Amino acid sequence: MRRKPVERLVAEGGQGEGGTLRRSLSMWQLTMISIGATLGTGIFVVLGEAVPKAGPAVTLAFVIAGLTALFSALSYAELAGTIPVAGSSYSYAYATMGELVAWICGWCLILEYGVSVAAVAVGWGEYLNELLDGTIGVTIPAALSAPPGDGGIFNLPALLVVLLAMVFLLGGARESARANTVMVVVKIAALVLFCAIGVQGLRTGNYANFMPLGMAGVSAAGASLFFSYIGFDAASTAGEEAKDPQRDLPRAIMLSLLIVTVLYVLVAAVAVGARPWGAFGESEAALAGIMKDVTGQTFWAVLLAAGAVIAIASVVLTVLYGQTRILFAMSRDGLVPKVFSKVDAKSGVPRANTVIVSVFCGVLAAAIPLGQLADATSIGTLFAFALVNVAVVVLRRTRPEMRRTFRVPLSPLFPAAGFAFCVWMMFSLSAVTWAVFGVWMAVGLVFYFGYGMRRSRLATAEK
């Protein structure tokens, strides 16, 4: 139950084994990191899996998932401005609820970030095939473009996009942020293009049976679509590389969530209006298919597929970045091996950390189907977000005098609402997802009690 003082967390910011992280990211770049980590697979890929659960009411499911994310985003914004460090909710829990809860939160973040990298990479291959088919008339064989269980042997494109992101990250945070900004602009343009063309194919009859599977279907779709909002907290993992984290992090988190939610609802409304809801689920590249149906031409679908390839690659890049920084913070505290906090003195990059995480996520992406990965990611994220809503209330009570550059309005009401939404959506997920989560938690606790508890820097300092 030992807690790490906020002052110590902040004082250690950027310090690693052998080098330090560099403060080079502006508010604009932080916002682009959050949008880059969020806007991608949820709308380009997971939409096709969510519509069969909710029907046209998938737009409502996006709103519910966005509302859940909003309450948690408010709590993240306050804590990011108060404790501007790399560990995100792991560090917030360490300062407020103690080491064991922090470990559990960090373990959930590993599930959130690490597994979502793999899930996103799986969807990338679908759009790459659409692009290849529309440009040169060749596609990657199913055996090499789908994981076992989805008709393939090994998802080679998924592995390649993770390794490509690794190369960018090894170049440095500022260089990666610049590349991400370009990719974010491209993917926003692609979604605006989809709306402009897709609206021409709207049929009011497609909205007629708005909620065919009732509120239970909307709830189930919302729980799956919450995966689409994972990433707005990515800016908080850049706390030790931001130029002015206390001012910029809260702004970046809130602005990115607003932009992403508006785009999601618009695209979902156009998609279900242009195609009967029963026709979704046949392909993970649903938006490209709608463009082809509306225009009768392959050109626009190819253009959208190109945008999606870039969009999903930026998600892989930014989420992989977040994963490495969380492990960096946990390693610096002694809870995971020191190799994850070693920083290259010349580039200011945790190189070994980046390579290990990238290879692991790449292999995972190549071997596991998307649906299982997305739901497992959602439950880990919801659990971590629930803890953040608790942490903001605890810190208000224990350290009321601390300077806060952003304050959650109507606290503790809004944090309580965020906590309740997260718990509700967790219970909307399947029993299989809960079983996977239970096994993951059990493994994490064994690792903590067998390794982290004794090697924690706070524990060694007490001896």
Side-chain angles (χ1 to χ4, degrees), residues 365-387:
I368 307 293
L370 172 66
Q372 296 172 23
L373 287 172
D375 283 350
T377 304
S378 291
I379 196 167
T381 307
L382 287 163
F383 192 85
F385 283 9
L387 290 178

Side-chain angles (χ1 to χ4, degrees), residues 193-259:
L193 175 67
F194 170 80
C195 290
I197 292 177
V199 74
Q200 300 172 33
L202 289 184
R203 301 289 182 271
T204 54
N206 289 339
Y207 298 110
N209 188 12
F210 186 70
M211 203 180 292
L213 302 174
M215 197 60 203
V218 175
S219 175
S224 292
L225 286 173
F226 189 77
F227 173 81
S228 312
Y229 288 91
I230 292 170
F232 73 79
D233 58 325
S236 67
T237 67
E240 296 174 24
E241 290 162 285
K243 292 177 181 177
D244 189 352
Q246 291 184 309
R247 183 196 69 178
D248 293 344
L249 288 176
R251 295 179 182 182
I253 289 170
M254 300 309 300
L255 182 59
S256 64
L257 184 62
L258 174 64
I259 293 171

